[in-house]
Amino acid sequence: MEKLADRILTILKRKSGILEKKELVNITLCDLLTKFNIVDLRSRKQEWIRRLRNVRANLIVNDSTRVCSEHFEGEFNDSSVPTIFPSKKPTVVKIRRPVVRHLEETSCNIEEEVVFDDFYQIKENVAPKVPEEHETVTKHALFRFKEEGCNTELPETCSKDIQVGEPSPLMKDASVQVSLPYISPEDLRNNDEKTRFYTGFVSFAMFWHYLTTLVKHGANKLYYWEGEQRCANTSVPAYHQTEVHKPGRKRFLRPDDEFLLVCMRLRLGLLQEHLADIFCTSTTTVSRIINTWMNFLYDHCKGLIPWPSREQILCNIPSGFRDYRNCRIVIDCTELYTEKPSSLVAQWLTWSEYKHSNTFKILIGVAPNGLVTFVSRLWCGNASDRHIVQHDDLLPKLSPGDMVMADKGFTIEDLLPADVDLNIPPRIPGNRQMTQSEFFKTQAIASARIVVEMKMEQVKNYRILGGTLPLNEAHLAEQMAFICIAWTNLLPPLMK
C-alpha cells in the first residue's frame, strides 16, 4: 500500500503539487480515485496487456516488463496507451476447389477442366479470387492440359462437346456452395450399380426422372422446416412454398444434392454428422434438409401406394396364386427397432414381447404380384395385430367376395365385413400333430404368402429401417417408413 500511495502521490504532485503524503493516510483508494478522477492503474495495466497480446499471445508481464516508446502515438503522458504495432499477417483465404468437367479420354490422353464462371455468375464472396499463377482464364472458360507430348489444341471430337455459355449435365453448379460435396448426382451418371447402392433406385434414369417429377411439384422451392410451433400461423405447409424464388435462408446445396443426401440417409442409414462431412455442410443444415424433404416426400409418395381393382389384380395374378384367385391382399406386420425411451410409459408402450426390445410396428399389405397396396400408420410395438387392423383404414377398403391372406396370428375373423374371407394357416390346439390335410394347407398358404416376406426384405434393404431408429428422429419415423415402402413399388415385380 505504501508503494502504491507513493506512486499516486507522484502523479498528484505532477498535476497539482498541493498534496502531501500524510493526507493519504485516512482515505481509501476508491475514494481517492473518485475524488480526483484518476484512472485506475490496474485497469490501465490490463489495457496495456490486452493490446500487447494482439501481437504476442503468450506475453508474461512482470516488474521488469518495458514497452518501447515507438508503440505510442504523440507525446507520452499518464493516459497514453500503446496503439502502434506491426501489422498482422494477412488471413489466408482458403481457395475453393475448381469446378471441373472431365471429358472423355482421347487418343492423346488429354484432360480438360472447364470452369464456366460467366455462366454461373459466381459472386466474389462465394468464390475467392484465383491466385496469379492460375490466371490463365479467358473470358468464358479455363482449359488446363497435361503436357505429355500432346498438342495444345482440342481435338475436333472434344470441341463439339464443349459449348461455352451453355449448361452441361456434367457440370457442378458452383453458385450454390463454396465446397463441393464429395459425391453428387453427376458421379452416379451412367453407373446404375452405384445408383442402386446409394439411393435404392434401380437405375440413374429412374432416379433422375423421379427427381425431375419432384421439381415440377416444387422441390426447388422448399422452405426449410422449422417445426410445428413456428409454422402454426401459415396457411400452407412451411416446408413447401409456391413463390417464384425459394423463400427463407439461402441454399447450401442444389435440390438434386439435397435429394441425394436424403436417399443416402434412407438407403445407407448414415448419421447426420457423416452426411455433413460428405456434403461439406453443417450438421444443422443436414437436419433441416432431412426434416424438410421427409415431409415433402411423404406428401408426394402417397400416389405410389394404389388400391387396384379386382380386375386389375386378376390381370396380373402370378401362377403361385392360381388356387387363390379371389385373394385381394396379403397382410403382415413388421417391427422397427428404436432406442429405449427415458419415460417409463413410453418404454411400456414400445416394448415388444416378440422382439424383446423397444420397437415401432407397421402393417403392410401387398397384392399377389408383390405390389404394396396398403400401409398403415406407425404404431407402438405393444400394439397387437388385431388392434392395428381394427383401428386402421384397411377394413373399409375391402369388398364382398374378397379374400384376405394372413398369418395365423391375425385373429380378425369377426372384424371382417360380410362376404369377406380370411385365409390363414390352421391353428393346432394343444400338442396335437397336424393332419395330412392341415399340413398341405399350411404349406400352400406359406408358399403363396411368401410374397409379403419378400417385400419385407426389400423394405429392410433401406438400412434406416433395418437398424435402430434414433429418438431424435422419432417424429420422422412414420414418414421414413412410408417413403421406403412406397419406393419399393418402383422396383421390378416380385412375382410374375
Side-chain angles (χ1 to χ4, degrees), residues 198-377:
Y198 283 111
T199 66
F201 290 91
V202 292
S203 63
F204 182 81
M206 175 68 72
F207 168 82
W208 195 256
H209 178 72
Y210 189 78
L211 175 60
T212 53
T213 304
L214 293 176
V215 170
K216 292 180 181 179
H217 289 83
N220 58 339
K221 301 175 184 177
L222 295 180
Y223 189 91
Y224 289 120
W225 182 256
E226 298 291 345
E228 294 286 352
Q229 296 180 351
R230 295 187 182 182
C231 309
N233 299 325
T234 58
S235 58
V236 294
Y239 57 89
H240 188 188
Q241 301 292 335
T242 57
E243 287 81 358
V244 178
H245 301 289
K246 178 195 172 298
R249 57 201 301 266
K250 183 180 179 181
R251 283 190 187 274
F252 289 92
L253 298 172
R254 301 172 300 173
D256 45 347
D257 291 325
E258 293 182 356
F259 182 59
L260 178 61
L261 183 151
V262 173
C263 291
M264 293 175 65
R265 174 70 179 126
L266 296 176
R267 174 65 181 86
L268 302 178
L270 301 180
L271 299 178
Q272 294 184 7
E273 291 80 0
H274 192 182
L275 292 171
D277 293 337
I278 293 176
F279 288 88
C280 301
T281 185
S282 64
T283 307
T284 304
T285 300
V286 171
S287 177
R288 288 177 175 174
I289 291 173
I290 291 176
N291 278 270
T292 302
W293 276 86
M294 289 301 173
N295 289 279
F296 175 72
L297 291 173
Y298 178 74
D299 287 343
H300 290 80
C301 281
K302 295 180 179 179
L304 297 178
I305 308 294
W307 182 257
S309 63
R310 188 181 303 172
E311 291 75 14
Q312 292 174 329
I313 293 178
L314 289 175
C315 292
N316 299 278
I317 194 167
S319 58
F321 280 81
R322 59 180 179 271
D323 296 332
Y324 310 102
R325 298 185 65 85
N326 62 336
C327 180
R328 189 71 179 271
I329 189 172
V330 183
I331 61 175
D332 198 4
C333 286
T334 185
E335 298 189 50
L336 314 175
Y337 291 98
T338 183
E339 294 178 347
K340 183 179 180 180
S342 59
S343 171
L344 295 179
V345 177
Q347 290 179 22
W348 174 75
L349 290 174
T350 58
W351 179 257
S352 171
E353 290 293 339
Y354 180 70
K355 295 292 186 180
H356 294 282
S357 181
N358 299 96
T359 63
F360 294 124
K361 201 170 188 178
I362 191 168
L363 174 68
I364 301 177
V366 300
N369 65 342
L371 181 72
V372 179
T373 58
F374 177 79
V375 180
S376 72
R377 292 170 293 173

Side-chain angles (χ1 to χ4, degrees), residues 7 72 79 218 241-242 247 302 342 395 402 475:
R7 296 177 62 184
F72 297 87
S79 61
Q241 301 292 335
T242 57
K302 295 180 179 179
S342 59
L395 299 179
D402 292 341
H475 63 289

Side-chain angles (χ1 to χ4, degrees), residues 1-13 19-29 32 38 41:
M1 184 65 185
E2 291 293 331
K3 293 183 179 180
L4 182 59
D6 290 338
R7 296 177 62 184
I8 296 175
L9 180 61
T10 303
I11 296 175
L12 293 175
K13 284 184 176 181
L19 293 179
E20 297 294 339
K21 184 175 180 179
K22 62 181 180 180
E23 300 182 28
L24 299 174
V25 176
N26 297 322
I27 188 170
T28 64
L29 179 61
L32 181 65
I38 302 173
L41 298 177

Side-chain angles (χ1 to χ4, degrees), residues 169 184-196 199 201-211:
S184 65
E186 288 81 3
D187 299 322
L188 306 181
R189 190 181 298 273
N190 300 325
N191 195 329
D192 294 342
E193 183 178 356
K194 278 191 174 182
T195 301
R196 186 158 190 171
T199 66
F201 290 91
V202 292
S203 63
F204 182 81
M206 175 68 72
F207 168 82
W208 195 256
H209 178 72
Y210 189 78
L211 175 60

